[in-house]
Amino acid sequence: MTHRQNWFEGWRLFALLGLTLTALCIWIASMRQFDVDGLRMVIRFTARTSLLFFCLAFSAAALARLWPNGWTRWQRRNRRYLGVTFAASHGLHAIAIGCYAVMDPAGYAAATSAASYIFGGLGYAFIIAMTATSFDRTAQAIGPRAWRTLHLTGGYYLLFQFTVSFGKRIPDMPLYALFLIPLAIVFALRMISMAQKGARRPVQAS
Ligand code: HEM
């Protein structure tokens, strides 16, 4: 298929995006000679790139159903690869967090809490489980029902986690409210699409 042969489709798309994100993280950290401030910039950068790819993956099915066109069909077709790119972006978030903890233990302890370990840890557990089941063979192994339950629960949990992580910074930095807009849009799109799907379903005779 021609789709699979270009760099904007499938695993090639993932490779392109993953390498670009990695290069950008190295470049950002190098601007500060890989010091603690540079690592914190990478943590913030990857949180934001994760938000972008999460929103693209989690809105894909709803958008393709509500507005079928070339772009939404591309997004729906590549939903898996956009989701795995989100996971890679959050892998870079984790690497930068690990480096921060080693280089500045006191600053790191002040920036984190028991709650960030519990909620963040659960977020990473979902990301790992969802990534592990993003391959044909592993998705088939758990079956469509378990796959849907895992990806739906994990998706909504991550939506909640992004909302809390950006939201808690609003009192100090009001512009952080802007990050909540794409999250609210994704949630609304999923609700509208679900309502339309429900309305179209034929009523079963009892
Ligand atoms: C145990 C797991 C995690 C730890 C220890 C952790 C740690 C951190 C730290 C220390 C910062 C602050 C960086 C700074 O301002 O210098 C940060 C920022 C952030 N993290 Fe994480 N994180 C974790 C998991 C997650 C997860 C799962 C998500 C989302 C799904 C997430 C989303 C964010 C966001 C949105 C920010 C704010 C970025 C910004 O200021 O623009 N984190 N994280």
Side-chain angles (χ1 to χ4, degrees):
M1 249 170 90
T2 47
H3 280 154
R4 299 198 182 279
Q5 279 157 17
N6 86 53
W7 280 95
F8 299 99
E9 298 280 346
W11 288 111
R12 281 188 170 205
L13 172 71
F14 165 68
L16 182 70
L17 294 171
L19 287 173
T20 305
L21 285 178
T22 308
L24 286 173
C25 286
I26 294 171
W27 178 63
I28 290 168
S30 74
M31 287 197 301
R32 297 281 185 127
Q33 284 76 44
F34 297 91
D35 69 1
V36 173
D37 279 344
L39 285 174
R40 294 186 60 179
M41 280 165 65
V42 172
I43 295 176
R44 288 194 291 271
F45 172 71
T46 51
R48 294 164 197 192
T49 53
S50 296
L51 174 72
L52 170 69
F53 290 108
F54 171 79
C55 287
L56 286 174
F58 205 47
S59 63
L63 278 171
R65 190 176 300 125
L66 294 169
W67 293 287
N69 60 42
W71 162 259
T72 56
R73 269 191 285 272
W74 172 88
Q75 197 181 337
R76 174 69 186 83
R77 199 164 60 240
N78 287 287
R79 180 174 69 156
R80 173 189 290 190
Y81 312 102
L82 294 166
V84 180
T85 302
F86 154 69
S89 169
H90 237 57
L92 293 165
H93 189 72
I95 292 171
I97 288 167
C99 296
Y100 180 25
V102 171
M103 283 175 66
D104 180 12
Y108 173 75
T112 50
S113 63
S116 55
Y117 282 107
I118 296 166
F119 292 112
L122 189 56
Y124 273 109
F126 271 122
I127 294 170
I128 291 166
M130 289 160 83
T131 309
T133 52
S134 287
F135 303 88
D136 291 340
R137 206 181 279 182
T138 48
Q140 271 166 20
I142 63 165
R145 237 166 186 244
W147 187 94
R148 200 178 141 70
T149 306
L150 170 65
H151 285 252
L152 211 59
T153 318
Y156 280 112
Y157 177 78
L158 291 164
L159 187 89
F160 160 79
Q161 167 95 49
F162 272 118
T163 307
V164 172
S165 297
F166 281 120
K168 71 181 181 190
R169 290 169 165 87
I170 295 175
D172 290 333
M173 294 168 282
L175 277 180
Y176 265 62
L178 294 177
F179 290 118
L180 303 188
I181 295 173
L183 292 165
I185 292 175
V186 170
F187 184 76
L189 285 171
R190 291 190 63 105
M191 291 302 119
I192 295 166
S193 162
M194 204 161 72
Q196 284 203 357
K197 207 162 105 180
R200 282 206 198 115
R201 200 170 286 153
V203 181
Q204 299 227 322
S206 53

